[in-house]
Amino acid sequence: MREIADAKDLLDWYDRHARVLPWRVSPQDRARGVRPDPYRVWLSEIMLQQTTVAAVKSYYESFTSRWTTVSDLAAARDEDVMAAWAGLGYYARARNLLKCARAVASEHGGQFPADHAALLGLPGIGPYTAAAVAAIAFDLPETVVDGNVERVMARVHNDDTPLPRAKPVFTDYARALTPRDRPGDYAQAVMDLGATICTPRKPACGLCPWRKGCAAWLAGTAAELPKKAPKQRKPTRLGIAYLVRRVDGAWLLERRPDSGLLGGMLGWPGSDWSESPAEAPPIRAEWKALNGEARHTFTHFHLRLTVKTALVPMERQPQRGAFVAAEDFDPGALPTVMRKAFDLAQGK
DNA sequence: AAGACGTGGCC
DNA sequence: TGGCCAAGTCT
């Protein structure tokens, strides 16, 4: 009786089916000695946290063409990086991206450390990303455990222990399968398997290189795994956004505090977001409430944003925020919820 | 150590 | 429409 799954079978599959991704060195090139750029591996891994490949691609291209090395990025202005990240979400990633780049530049001579523990000590790098960079960039035998790997392990072992409680056990399963040979390709192979074959719904078991050794395939339970703890339902909150235009075309914007929701991002001044938000106009003006509302769903609540607009004279001073000249204003620098409010005001 | 933290695509 | 899900981390 063979082991339940075997790294070799997966690597053979990966050699034939590896996805082509902008940040990836193909297994063929890797075999010829091509090494991935640790900066690009790290950048892609941060962007891919809880984010789809499709959403990441254009951001990855723009970051790597604008900031070629980690030292370039370390020298960037905070506001430029936050603006470039706008729309990708989880903005703490962008703040930590800069902190990490600056730590690598100042404490590691501009080179990412080829060491799991040292990587783990850097801002924004947790257990998954430390293992991913160590394995993919440096071909060290570290075990990556992301959502894909959890799903694959739950199925291979037909383990119905609910997540997140099952995480330590699934990690043990994954570690036991990690090979000493080609750990970087293997890490990418398991995640590719989870992303393309061993998918959450309708897994393509007929195409799976691990089918023969998969306990869930044998039991017919693959599609029901992994089990997960029930989610809490999202409450709905209300809010008011104030879109102020000065007669010269300038917009009144406000930089949000570094911590908390949309931390460090540019946005419209507004009320609190709650069951009954209090009016909080940022400037004395005659307000016009727009018809409709900007709707947006965050991780843990739904938001219905009322948008109020006003036109103010040159000399009027705001109590909050600062005017940004029309030619300096880029709606693309706003987080999506703020851009939705802008679109509503533009009649889009 | 649960909860905070974005967004877009899919069904 | 609304819930689920996506290469998690931080507090």
Side-chain angles (χ1 to χ4, degrees):
Chain A
M1 164 120 181
R2 57 180 294 163
E3 290 300 309
I4 57 170
D6 177 56
K8 184 66 167 54
D9 291 338
L10 186 57
L11 282 165
D12 287 346
W13 171 81
Y14 184 68
D15 287 338
R16 286 174 284 117
H17 298 288
R19 285 184 294 173
V20 176
L21 300 171
W23 44 85
R24 173 173 286 177
V25 171
S26 73
Q28 288 72 31
D29 283 346
R30 186 69 191 75
R32 291 185 201 108
V34 178
R35 300 299 188 93
D37 176 356
Y39 165 62
R40 292 180 177 239
V41 173
W42 162 75
L43 179 63
S44 67
E45 290 300 340
I46 300 296
M47 288 183 165
L48 286 163
Q49 289 170 5
Q50 298 290 287
T51 308
T52 57
V53 165
V56 162
K57 278 182 176 167
S58 65
Y59 286 86
Y60 176 82
E61 296 298 350
S62 93
F63 268 70
T64 50
S65 53
R66 187 163 175 187
W67 298 294
T68 308
T69 68
V70 67
S71 299
D72 290 340
L73 182 58
R77 299 186 326 179
D78 292 43
E79 64 218 69
D80 290 339
V81 173
M82 297 314 285
W85 197 276
L88 197 54
Y90 283 138
Y91 298 100
R93 291 185 295 173
R95 301 193 300 274
N96 286 329
L97 189 81
L98 256 176
K99 285 186 197 164
C100 184
R102 288 168 182 164
V104 169
S106 64
E107 297 165 26
H108 297 277
Q111 302 294 326
F112 278 87
D115 175 74
H116 180 89
L119 289 164
L120 197 51
L122 292 165
I125 297 188
Y128 164 76
T129 305
V133 173
I136 298 170
F138 300 113
D139 215 27
L140 295 169
E142 299 291 344
T143 301
V144 298
V145 184
D146 69 336
N148 288 306
V149 177
E150 289 173 349
R151 185 169 57 254
V152 171
M153 293 305 132
R155 290 174 177 171
V156 165
H157 289 268
N158 194 28
D159 189 330
D160 64 359
T161 311
L163 287 165
R165 183 155 60 83
K167 174 107 179 180
V169 184
F170 291 0
T171 299
D172 289 342
Y173 295 156
R175 190 174 294 113
L177 286 166
T178 304
R180 308 295 298 187
D181 183 44
R182 301 179 63 193
D185 281 341
Y186 173 80
Q188 296 174 90
V190 201
M191 294 191 282
D192 266 22
L193 185 73
T196 63
I197 303 282
C198 196
T199 52
R201 286 176 298 230
K202 298 190 179 182
C205 298
L207 301 175
C208 183
W210 270 356
R211 180 188 51 211
K212 294 190 304 287
C214 180
W217 163 249
L218 204 61
T221 54
E224 299 156 32
L225 296 171
K227 297 291 188 192
K228 296 199 174 180
K231 306 252 158 102
Q232 285 200 294
R233 84 171 259 293
K234 297 177 188 349
T236 296
R237 297 188 196 169
L238 309 178
I240 309 162
Y242 300 94
L243 272 65
V244 182
R245 194 107 205 247
R246 202 166 60 185
V247 290
D248 66 341
W251 294 96
L252 184 59
L253 290 156
E254 187 173 51
R255 178 75 58 186
R256 300 174 64 88
D258 262 341
S259 65
L261 192 64
L262 309 179
M265 298 301 290
L266 215 47
W268 308 109
S271 69
D272 59 311
W273 295 345
S274 62
E275 248 177 49
S276 53
E279 288 281 355
I283 193 169
R284 186 166 60 80
E286 191 149 320
W287 299 101
K288 176 184 162 201
L290 297 182
N291 292 322
E293 56 193 4
R295 288 188 176 214
H296 192 74
T297 298
F298 293 98
T299 313
H300 51 297
F301 65 95
H302 302 289
L303 178 66
R304 301 165 68 149
L305 206 51
T306 298
V307 177
K308 299 194 175 188
T309 62
L311 186 65
V312 299
M314 290 301 293
E315 62 277 11
R316 190 71 56 84
Q317 294 301 313
Q319 296 162 253
R320 291 159 48 201
F323 281 103
V324 173
E327 61 268 31
D328 295 333
F329 173 60
D330 171 18
L334 298 175
T336 299
V337 62
M338 299 295 174
R339 193 182 43 69
K340 284 183 181 176
F342 179 73
D343 289 347
L344 186 66
Q346 300 298 294
K348 289 177 189 167

